[in-house]
Amino acid sequence: MDKQEIPPPAPPTRKEPAAAAAARKPSSISALTPSNCAPGNKHKKGPKSLLSLCVASIGCYLDDIVDDLDLIAPLLPVSVKLQLVAIARRRGLLCDRLLVPLADTAWEILDVSGSDVTDTGIHQAAKICSKLRAVDVSRCSSLTAESIRTIVECCPALETLRCGGTHLSNRAARLALPCVLPGLRVRNQVEESWEDLDAVAVGSGAQELRWIVWPAIDGESRQTVELECPRVVVNPGMASSKHACVPREALPSTVLDEQLVEDISPSAWEVRCSPSQAAALGLGEISISKAELFRMAFAARDERLAPKRAKNWRQKERRERKLWVSSSLELRARHLADTHAM
Protein backbone atom coordinates (compact mmCIF):
# COMPACT_ATOMS: atom_id res chain seq x y z
CA MET A 1 0.00 0.00 0.00
CA ASP A 2 1.35 3.29 -1.07
CA LYS A 3 1.87 5.90 1.52
CA GLN A 4 -0.56 8.80 1.35
CA GLU A 5 1.23 11.89 0.31
CA ILE A 6 1.12 14.60 2.89
CA PRO A 7 0.72 18.07 1.36
CA PRO A 8 3.45 20.53 2.25
CA PRO A 9 2.55 23.02 4.99
CA ALA A 10 1.20 26.33 3.79
CA PRO A 11 3.57 29.27 4.07
CA PRO A 12 2.94 31.42 7.16
CA THR A 13 0.67 34.32 6.42
CA ARG A 14 1.53 37.75 7.60
CA LYS A 15 -0.82 38.90 10.30
CA GLU A 16 -2.82 41.94 9.24
CA PRO A 17 -2.74 44.87 11.65
CA ALA A 18 -5.92 45.28 13.67
CA ALA A 19 -6.36 48.90 12.59
CA ALA A 20 -6.18 47.98 8.89
CA ALA A 21 -8.61 45.13 9.34
CA ALA A 22 -11.04 47.36 11.17
CA ALA A 23 -10.79 49.99 8.44
CA ARG A 24 -11.36 47.40 5.67
CA LYS A 25 -14.21 45.61 7.45
CA PRO A 26 -17.56 47.38 6.96
CA SER A 27 -19.27 48.38 10.17
CA SER A 28 -23.02 47.91 10.34
CA ILE A 29 -23.42 50.85 12.70
CA SER A 30 -21.41 53.29 10.59
CA ALA A 31 -23.13 52.09 7.44
CA LEU A 32 -26.54 52.87 8.88
CA THR A 33 -25.49 56.16 10.48
CA PRO A 34 -25.35 59.21 8.18
CA SER A 35 -22.23 61.33 8.29
CA ASN A 36 -24.01 64.30 9.79
CA CYS A 37 -25.37 62.13 12.61
CA ALA A 38 -21.99 60.74 13.66
CA PRO A 39 -20.72 61.55 17.15
CA GLY A 40 -19.18 64.97 17.29
CA ASN A 41 -21.14 66.29 14.31
CA LYS A 42 -24.25 68.36 14.85
CA HIS A 43 -27.30 67.09 13.07
CA LYS A 44 -28.45 69.74 10.65
CA LYS A 45 -32.19 70.19 10.73
CA GLY A 46 -34.00 70.49 7.47
CA PRO A 47 -36.29 73.33 6.48
CA LYS A 48 -39.30 73.93 8.67
CA SER A 49 -42.62 72.53 7.57
CA LEU A 50 -45.27 74.73 6.02
CA LEU A 51 -47.56 74.05 8.98
CA SER A 52 -44.93 75.29 11.45
CA LEU A 53 -44.41 78.47 9.43
CA CYS A 54 -48.17 79.10 9.37
CA VAL A 55 -48.47 78.52 13.13
CA ALA A 56 -45.58 80.93 13.75
CA SER A 57 -47.29 83.56 11.60
CA ILE A 58 -50.55 83.16 13.51
CA GLY A 59 -48.66 83.32 16.81
CA CYS A 60 -47.18 86.70 15.88
CA TYR A 61 -50.68 88.20 15.63
CA LEU A 62 -52.45 86.42 18.47
CA ASP A 63 -53.23 89.69 20.23
CA ASP A 64 -55.03 90.89 17.09
CA ILE A 65 -57.25 87.81 16.62
CA VAL A 66 -58.04 87.01 20.25
CA ASP A 67 -61.52 88.55 19.90
CA ASP A 68 -62.30 86.29 16.92
CA LEU A 69 -60.98 83.02 18.34
CA ASP A 70 -64.51 81.73 18.88
CA LEU A 71 -64.90 81.63 15.10
CA ILE A 72 -61.35 80.58 14.21
CA ALA A 73 -60.64 77.88 16.81
CA PRO A 74 -63.15 75.25 15.53
CA LEU A 75 -61.30 75.26 12.19
CA LEU A 76 -57.86 74.54 13.70
CA PRO A 77 -56.37 71.07 14.33
CA VAL A 78 -55.82 69.90 17.90
CA SER A 79 -52.02 70.18 17.71
CA VAL A 80 -52.20 73.73 16.34
CA LYS A 81 -54.42 74.82 19.23
CA LEU A 82 -51.88 73.50 21.73
CA GLN A 83 -49.05 75.25 19.89
CA LEU A 84 -50.92 78.54 19.94
CA VAL A 85 -51.43 78.20 23.69
CA ALA A 86 -47.69 77.56 24.11
CA ILE A 87 -46.82 80.62 22.00
CA ALA A 88 -49.31 82.78 23.89
CA ARG A 89 -47.80 81.68 27.20
CA ARG A 90 -44.33 82.68 26.03
CA ARG A 91 -45.59 86.04 24.81
CA GLY A 92 -47.35 86.71 28.11
CA LEU A 93 -50.79 86.78 26.43
CA LEU A 94 -52.30 83.60 27.88
CA CYS A 95 -55.53 84.42 29.69
CA ASP A 96 -59.11 83.16 29.95
CA ARG A 97 -60.16 84.85 26.70
CA LEU A 98 -57.51 82.89 24.79
CA LEU A 99 -57.47 79.57 26.68
CA VAL A 100 -61.18 78.75 26.71
CA PRO A 101 -61.85 79.12 22.93
CA LEU A 102 -58.79 76.99 22.09
CA ALA A 103 -59.50 74.23 24.64
CA ASP A 104 -60.08 70.85 23.00
CA THR A 105 -61.42 67.51 24.24
CA ALA A 106 -58.40 65.65 22.81
CA TRP A 107 -55.77 67.51 24.84
CA GLU A 108 -53.63 65.39 27.15
CA ILE A 109 -51.30 68.11 28.47
CA LEU A 110 -51.94 71.70 29.54
CA ASP A 111 -49.27 74.23 30.51
CA VAL A 112 -50.53 77.56 31.86
CA SER A 113 -47.53 78.27 34.09
CA GLY A 114 -46.69 81.94 34.63
CA SER A 115 -49.87 83.10 32.88
CA ASP A 116 -52.83 85.30 33.80
CA VAL A 117 -55.39 82.48 33.67
CA THR A 118 -57.92 82.66 36.51
CA ASP A 119 -60.11 80.12 38.30
CA THR A 120 -62.94 80.77 35.85
CA GLY A 121 -60.79 79.92 32.84
CA ILE A 122 -59.40 76.76 34.46
CA HIS A 123 -62.91 75.66 35.44
CA GLN A 124 -64.19 75.98 31.86
CA ALA A 125 -61.07 74.45 30.29
CA ALA A 126 -61.00 71.49 32.67
CA LYS A 127 -64.60 70.61 31.83
CA ILE A 128 -63.67 70.51 28.14
CA CYS A 129 -60.26 68.81 28.46
CA SER A 130 -61.28 65.81 30.53
CA LYS A 131 -58.46 63.60 29.16
CA LEU A 132 -55.58 65.62 30.62
CA ARG A 133 -52.68 63.51 31.93
CA ALA A 134 -50.23 66.31 32.81
CA VAL A 135 -51.03 69.85 33.98
CA ASP A 136 -48.71 72.71 34.94
CA VAL A 137 -50.28 75.49 37.03
CA SER A 138 -47.06 76.71 38.63
CA ARG A 139 -46.27 80.43 39.07
CA CYS A 140 -49.92 81.41 38.47
CA SER A 141 -50.73 84.03 41.08
CA SER A 142 -54.32 84.35 39.85
CA LEU A 143 -55.15 80.70 40.59
CA THR A 144 -56.36 79.42 43.93
CA ALA A 145 -56.78 75.97 45.44
CA GLU A 146 -60.22 75.77 43.80
CA SER A 147 -58.58 75.51 40.36
CA ILE A 148 -56.51 72.50 41.41
CA ARG A 149 -59.58 70.84 42.91
CA THR A 150 -61.48 71.43 39.65
CA ILE A 151 -58.70 69.83 37.61
CA VAL A 152 -58.66 66.78 39.87
CA GLU A 153 -62.45 66.39 39.67
CA CYS A 154 -62.76 66.89 35.91
CA CYS A 155 -59.63 64.99 34.78
CA PRO A 156 -59.68 61.44 36.18
CA ALA A 157 -56.65 60.41 34.08
CA LEU A 158 -54.35 63.01 35.68
CA GLU A 159 -50.90 61.51 36.33
CA THR A 160 -48.59 64.52 36.66
CA LEU A 161 -49.30 67.77 38.51
CA ARG A 162 -46.84 70.66 38.44
CA CYS A 163 -47.58 73.42 40.96
CA GLY A 164 -45.97 75.99 43.30
CA GLY A 165 -43.28 78.44 42.28
CA THR A 166 -44.54 81.60 44.00
CA HIS A 167 -45.86 82.44 47.46
CA LEU A 168 -49.49 82.41 46.32
CA SER A 169 -49.02 79.28 44.20
CA ASN A 170 -47.39 77.43 47.10
CA ARG A 171 -50.28 78.40 49.37
CA ALA A 172 -52.85 77.21 46.83
CA ALA A 173 -51.03 73.89 46.46
CA ARG A 174 -50.94 73.37 50.25
CA LEU A 175 -54.66 74.05 50.58
CA ALA A 176 -55.55 71.74 47.68
CA LEU A 177 -53.26 68.88 48.70
CA PRO A 178 -55.87 66.94 50.76
CA CYS A 179 -58.19 66.91 47.73
CA VAL A 180 -55.42 65.96 45.30
CA LEU A 181 -54.02 62.85 46.97
CA PRO A 182 -55.81 59.59 46.11
CA GLY A 183 -57.92 58.13 48.89
CA LEU A 184 -61.17 56.41 49.79
CA ARG A 185 -64.46 58.03 50.67
CA VAL A 186 -66.32 56.91 53.78
CA ARG A 187 -69.67 55.52 52.64
CA ASN A 188 -72.69 55.12 54.91
CA GLN A 189 -74.56 53.05 52.36
CA VAL A 190 -73.65 49.35 52.40
CA GLU A 191 -73.69 47.46 49.12
CA GLU A 192 -74.46 43.77 48.84
CA SER A 193 -71.31 43.07 46.84
CA TRP A 194 -68.07 44.89 46.21
CA GLU A 195 -68.66 44.41 42.47
CA ASP A 196 -71.60 46.82 42.70
CA LEU A 197 -69.39 49.65 43.93
CA ASP A 198 -68.49 52.41 41.56
CA ALA A 199 -64.81 53.40 41.51
CA VAL A 200 -65.71 57.07 41.14
CA ALA A 201 -68.09 56.93 44.08
CA VAL A 202 -65.60 55.12 46.32
CA GLY A 203 -62.37 56.87 45.37
CA SER A 204 -61.44 60.44 46.17
CA GLY A 205 -58.74 62.68 44.79
CA ALA A 206 -56.72 61.98 41.64
CA GLN A 207 -56.79 58.19 41.48
CA GLU A 208 -54.21 57.99 38.66
CA LEU A 209 -51.85 60.60 40.15
CA ARG A 210 -48.25 59.41 40.27
CA TRP A 211 -45.99 62.48 40.05
CA ILE A 212 -46.06 65.89 41.78
CA VAL A 213 -43.54 68.50 40.65
CA TRP A 214 -43.36 71.07 43.43
CA PRO A 215 -39.74 72.32 43.81
CA ALA A 216 -40.47 74.59 46.80
CA ILE A 217 -42.59 72.07 48.71
CA ASP A 218 -42.49 72.49 52.48
CA GLY A 219 -41.55 69.67 54.83
CA GLU A 220 -45.05 69.20 56.24
CA SER A 221 -46.63 68.80 52.80
CA ARG A 222 -43.94 66.36 51.70
CA GLN A 223 -44.46 64.29 54.84
CA THR A 224 -48.22 64.27 54.21
CA VAL A 225 -47.70 62.88 50.71
CA GLU A 226 -45.27 60.21 51.88
CA LEU A 227 -47.52 59.04 54.70
CA GLU A 228 -50.93 59.16 53.04
CA CYS A 229 -49.97 58.05 49.53
CA PRO A 230 -46.45 56.60 49.12
CA ARG A 231 -47.20 55.80 45.48
CA VAL A 232 -47.11 59.51 44.58
CA VAL A 233 -43.54 60.71 44.06
CA VAL A 234 -42.64 64.35 44.72
CA ASN A 235 -39.95 65.89 42.49
CA PRO A 236 -38.75 62.56 41.04
CA GLY A 237 -35.68 64.07 39.42
CA MET A 238 -34.53 65.52 42.79
CA ALA A 239 -35.47 62.90 45.35
CA SER A 240 -33.45 59.88 44.29
CA SER A 241 -32.33 57.88 41.28
CA LYS A 242 -34.44 54.79 42.01
CA HIS A 243 -37.30 56.09 39.86
CA ALA A 244 -35.89 55.10 36.47
CA CYS A 245 -39.11 55.25 34.43
CA VAL A 246 -39.93 58.88 35.06
CA PRO A 247 -41.88 60.44 32.16
CA ARG A 248 -40.60 63.62 30.60
CA GLU A 249 -43.60 65.56 31.92
CA ALA A 250 -42.58 64.78 35.51
CA LEU A 251 -38.98 65.98 35.31
CA PRO A 252 -38.60 69.30 37.16
CA SER A 253 -35.92 70.50 34.75
CA THR A 254 -38.16 70.30 31.67
CA VAL A 255 -40.84 72.64 30.35
CA LEU A 256 -44.13 70.84 29.82
CA ASP A 257 -44.95 72.39 26.44
CA GLU A 258 -41.37 72.51 25.16
CA GLN A 259 -41.85 69.79 22.54
CA LEU A 260 -44.85 71.59 21.07
CA VAL A 261 -42.75 74.52 19.80
CA GLU A 262 -39.56 72.70 18.81
CA ASP A 263 -40.26 73.15 15.09
CA ILE A 264 -41.56 76.72 15.42
CA SER A 265 -39.29 79.69 14.91
CA PRO A 266 -38.64 81.65 18.14
CA SER A 267 -39.45 84.82 16.22
CA ALA A 268 -43.10 84.03 16.93
CA TRP A 269 -42.60 85.17 20.52
CA GLU A 270 -39.06 86.48 21.10
CA VAL A 271 -39.66 90.03 19.80
CA ARG A 272 -42.61 90.52 22.12
CA CYS A 273 -41.10 88.73 25.11
CA SER A 274 -38.52 90.60 27.16
CA PRO A 275 -35.88 88.76 29.23
CA SER A 276 -37.73 89.65 32.46
CA GLN A 277 -40.96 88.14 31.10
CA ALA A 278 -39.06 85.05 29.97
CA ALA A 279 -37.65 84.58 33.47
CA ALA A 280 -41.14 84.96 34.96
CA LEU A 281 -42.47 82.34 32.56
CA GLY A 282 -39.68 79.92 33.40
CA LEU A 283 -38.30 79.89 29.85
CA GLY A 284 -34.72 80.61 30.86
CA GLU A 285 -32.46 82.41 28.39
CA ILE A 286 -33.96 83.02 24.95
CA SER A 287 -32.44 84.42 21.78
CA ILE A 288 -33.55 87.94 20.90
CA SER A 289 -33.38 89.20 17.33
CA LYS A 290 -30.87 91.87 16.41
CA ALA A 291 -33.61 94.33 15.51
CA GLU A 292 -35.11 93.95 18.99
CA LEU A 293 -31.66 94.38 20.60
CA PHE A 294 -31.14 97.63 18.69
CA ARG A 295 -34.62 98.85 19.68
CA MET A 296 -34.00 98.01 23.35
CA ALA A 297 -30.60 99.75 23.26
CA PHE A 298 -32.10 102.87 21.66
CA ALA A 299 -34.94 102.96 24.21
CA ALA A 300 -32.47 102.63 27.11
CA ARG A 301 -30.24 105.38 25.69
CA ASP A 302 -33.25 107.65 25.07
CA GLU A 303 -34.44 107.18 28.64
CA ARG A 304 -30.97 107.82 30.02
CA LEU A 305 -30.51 111.08 28.08
CA ALA A 306 -34.02 112.43 28.73
CA PRO A 307 -33.01 114.55 31.81
CA LYS A 308 -30.07 116.05 29.93
CA ARG A 309 -32.27 117.00 26.98
CA ALA A 310 -34.75 118.68 29.31
CA LYS A 311 -31.96 120.67 30.95
CA ASN A 312 -30.56 121.79 27.57
CA TRP A 313 -34.05 122.84 26.47
CA ARG A 314 -34.48 125.03 29.59
CA GLN A 315 -31.09 126.64 29.02
CA LYS A 316 -31.98 127.34 25.41
CA GLU A 317 -35.24 128.99 26.43
CA ARG A 318 -33.41 131.24 28.93
CA ARG A 319 -30.85 132.28 26.31
CA GLU A 320 -33.54 133.09 23.75
CA ARG A 321 -35.50 135.08 26.30
CA LYS A 322 -32.40 136.99 27.31
CA LEU A 323 -31.52 137.70 23.68
CA TRP A 324 -35.08 138.83 22.94
CA VAL A 325 -35.11 141.21 25.90
CA SER A 326 -31.72 142.72 25.06
CA SER A 327 -32.73 143.38 21.44
CA SER A 328 -35.25 146.10 22.43
CA LEU A 329 -34.61 149.07 24.71
CA GLU A 330 -38.25 149.21 25.82
CA LEU A 331 -38.31 145.52 26.75
CA ARG A 332 -34.98 145.88 28.49
CA ALA A 333 -36.30 148.80 30.54
CA ARG A 334 -39.36 146.82 31.54
CA HIS A 335 -37.22 143.87 32.51
CA LEU A 336 -34.96 146.04 34.67
CA ALA A 337 -38.02 147.65 36.27
CA ASP A 338 -39.49 144.25 37.10
CA THR A 339 -36.16 143.11 38.53
CA HIS A 340 -35.82 146.14 40.82
CA ALA A 341 -39.46 145.87 41.89
CA MET A 342 -38.88 142.28 43.01
Side-chain angles (χ1 to χ4, degrees):
M1 186 174 178
D2 297 334
K3 295 182 179 179
Q4 187 178 2
E5 294 183 359
I6 301 175
T13 59
R14 186 177 180 183
K15 189 175 181 181
E16 187 177 13
R24 184 173 56 83
K25 183 179 179 180
S27 174
S28 58
I29 299 178
S30 60
L32 296 175
T33 306
S35 58
N36 58 354
C37 294
N41 295 335
K42 294 184 177 179
H43 176 62
K44 296 181 179 180
K45 294 183 179 180
K48 298 184 181 300
S49 64
L50 180 60
L51 178 61
S52 300
L53 296 176
C54 294
V55 173
S57 299
I58 297 175
C60 291
Y61 301 98
L62 270 178
D63 47 349
D64 298 328
I65 64 174
V66 64
D67 295 330
D68 301 322
L69 278 179
D70 293 331
L71 303 176
I72 300 174
L75 307 176
L76 300 176
V78 177
S79 58
V80 173
K81 295 179 183 179
L82 267 176
Q83 289 173 330
L84 292 179
V85 171
I87 294 175
R89 191 181 71 83
R90 284 160 172 76
R91 288 188 53 187
L93 299 175
L94 187 56
C95 59
D96 298 346
R97 294 173 56 207
L98 197 146
L99 175 64
V100 176
L102 292 175
D104 196 279
T105 55
W107 284 4
E108 294 187 355
I109 65 170
L110 178 60
D111 190 347
V112 296
S113 57
S115 66
D116 297 327
V117 176
T118 63
D119 292 342
T120 304
I122 288 293
H123 183 75
Q124 298 179 19
K127 285 187 174 181
I128 300 173
C129 312
S130 58
K131 298 180 181 179
L132 292 176
R133 296 185 298 102
V135 178
D136 191 345
V137 292
S138 59
R139 303 185 305 279
C140 291
S141 301
S142 301
L143 297 182
T144 63
E146 188 63 28
S147 295
I148 302 179
R149 297 191 191 102
T150 303
I151 294 172
V152 171
E153 293 175 359
C154 299
C155 307
L158 184 65
E159 298 177 359
T160 304
L161 177 63
R162 304 167 71 101
C163 55
T166 63
H167 176 70
L168 295 177
S169 298
N170 292 332
R171 183 175 181 273
R174 283 194 299 269
L175 294 176
L177 190 60
C179 301
V180 171
L181 296 178
L184 295 175
R185 289 192 178 97
V186 179
R187 289 174 54 88
N188 298 325
Q189 182 181 358
V190 180
E191 301 290 346
E192 295 180 358
S193 173
W194 62 270
E195 295 178 351
D196 298 333
L197 296 176
D198 187 3
V200 177
V202 174
S204 64
Q207 294 295 313
E208 300 296 328
L209 186 65
R210 182 65 193 278
W211 317 98
I212 294 180
V213 181
W214 187 358
I217 185 173
D218 56 287
E220 184 178 355
S221 300
R222 179 185 289 273
Q223 187 177 5
T224 302
V225 176
E226 294 175 352
L227 292 178
E228 296 187 7
C229 190
R231 184 193 69 179
V232 178
V233 182
V234 180
N235 301 327
M238 301 179 179
S240 61
S241 59
K242 65 180 180 179
H243 308 289
C245 301
V246 180
R248 190 195 68 85
E249 296 86 359
L251 295 176
S253 58
T254 61
V255 181
L256 187 58
D257 59 359
E258 184 177 6
Q259 290 185 338
L260 299 174
V261 294
E262 283 183 347
D263 196 38
I264 298 178
S265 174
S267 60
W269 62 82
E270 66 180 6
V271 174
R272 296 169 175 82
C273 183
S274 63
S276 58
Q277 291 175 332
L281 294 173
L283 302 178
E285 184 179 358
I286 62 173
S287 58
I288 303 178
S289 62
K290 292 184 178 179
E292 178 66 9
L293 289 175
F294 276 111
R295 189 199 67 79
M296 294 170 59
F298 179 81
R301 179 179 179 274
D302 186 70
E303 183 179 0
R304 187 177 66 253
L305 297 179
K308 186 175 182 180
R309 285 199 304 270
K311 180 180 178 181
N312 293 339
W313 180 257
R314 290 193 299 269
Q315 291 178 353
K316 182 180 178 181
E317 283 187 339
R318 287 196 296 268
R319 285 195 299 267
E320 290 180 352
R321 181 181 178 83
K322 186 176 181 181
L323 180 62
W324 177 66
V325 170
S326 61
S327 61
S328 173
L329 294 176
E330 183 179 358
L331 292 175
R332 186 176 181 182
R334 290 180 180 179
H335 179 68
L336 293 176
D338 295 339
T339 304
H340 289 295
M342 298 173 66

